[in-house]
Amino acid sequence: MTTAQRSIEHYIRAKDGNRPHLLDQAFTAGATLDMVVRTGSISFPDHVEGRPGIGDVLVSRFNQTFENVYTFCLGAPPADNIETFQCKWLVAMSDKHSGEVRVGCGRYDWRFSPSSSLAEGLVITIEHMKTLPAEELPAVMAWVSHLEYPWTNADAAVGTAPDSTPLEDVVQYISVG
């Protein structure tokens, strides 16, 4: 049975694992994606229509550039049969070409089909996307690989974050309830 929680989990596994086929279990065919990017360090199209377009932007093209991707929803999963859901998110990854580490955070605003519980709409707000040198990869990956995946507690993420000045904005954002 598909639930909002399962739809979100399929999206995260599709994006993080470069598995676009999983989006069939996450989004309706005509789903929409809107991006609100509040940082200059990463770019995405403002609006995408349809599951194939979403897959191209958030899975296929994304994974041409990034690897070691860990995306977390912060907080408890949504209840069954919910039509809207909002949560903060945290992501860590590395650039395939430069080796630099990216750590970002923001908010997901989901809208689900009442009949299928697949996502009809997703607004991704990117508040911060920090770039760290490649030397920081072991510390960042040690951090995120020990968090519960893909749902984790913001306190756990904050409490185990590496002591890194560039991450201060991210840690501050995810720690504020």
Side-chain angles (χ1 to χ4, degrees):
M1 178 180 153
T2 300
T3 63
Q5 176 181 344
R6 297 278 296 153
S7 293
I8 293 169
E9 290 169 357
H10 285 299
Y11 155 70
I12 291 173
R13 287 189 177 97
K15 182 180 78 64
D16 289 4
N18 194 15
R19 296 181 183 100
H21 73 278
L22 291 177
L23 293 182
D24 292 349
Q25 299 169 61
F27 292 97
T28 62
T32 60
L33 167 69
D34 291 292
M35 301 290 295
V36 179
V37 181
R38 296 189 172 142
T39 176
S41 60
I42 197 163
S43 65
F44 287 97
D46 293 340
H47 181 78
V48 179
E49 295 197 18
R51 187 171 49 222
I54 293 169
D56 184 54
V57 170
L58 294 182
V59 180
S60 300
R61 283 197 268 160
F62 182 82
N63 280 280
Q64 288 174 349
T65 304
F66 300 106
E67 61 188 357
N68 298 311
V69 183
Y70 286 85
T71 304
F72 301 92
C73 291
L74 303 174
D80 291 349
N81 301 318
I82 197 164
E83 291 187 27
T84 61
F85 180 71
Q86 181 183 86
C87 67
K88 288 183 179 181
W89 56 263
L90 169 70
V91 69
M93 58 203 166
S94 60
D95 186 292
K96 287 182 176 182
H97 308 289
S98 70
E100 292 177 321
V101 182
R102 298 281 184 102
V103 178
C105 61
R107 190 182 69 240
Y108 287 137
D109 291 285
W110 296 89
R111 186 172 34 84
F112 299 97
S113 164
S115 61
S116 69
S117 292
L118 294 173
E120 293 179 321
L122 172 59
V123 177
I124 301 175
T125 303
I126 302 175
E127 292 290 343
H128 300 285
M129 186 62 63
K130 301 299 180 177
T131 303
L132 290 77
E135 297 78 39
E136 298 286 333
L137 183 63
V140 170
M141 289 297 118
W143 168 42
V144 296
S145 66
H146 286 93
L147 295 173
E148 288 186 46
Y149 179 87
W151 302 94
T152 198
N153 180 299
D155 291 339
V158 168
T160 59
D163 186 19
S164 173
T165 302
L167 293 180
E168 288 176 357
D169 291 339
V170 170
V171 169
Q172 176 64 28
Y173 179 82
I174 64 176
S175 67
V176 176

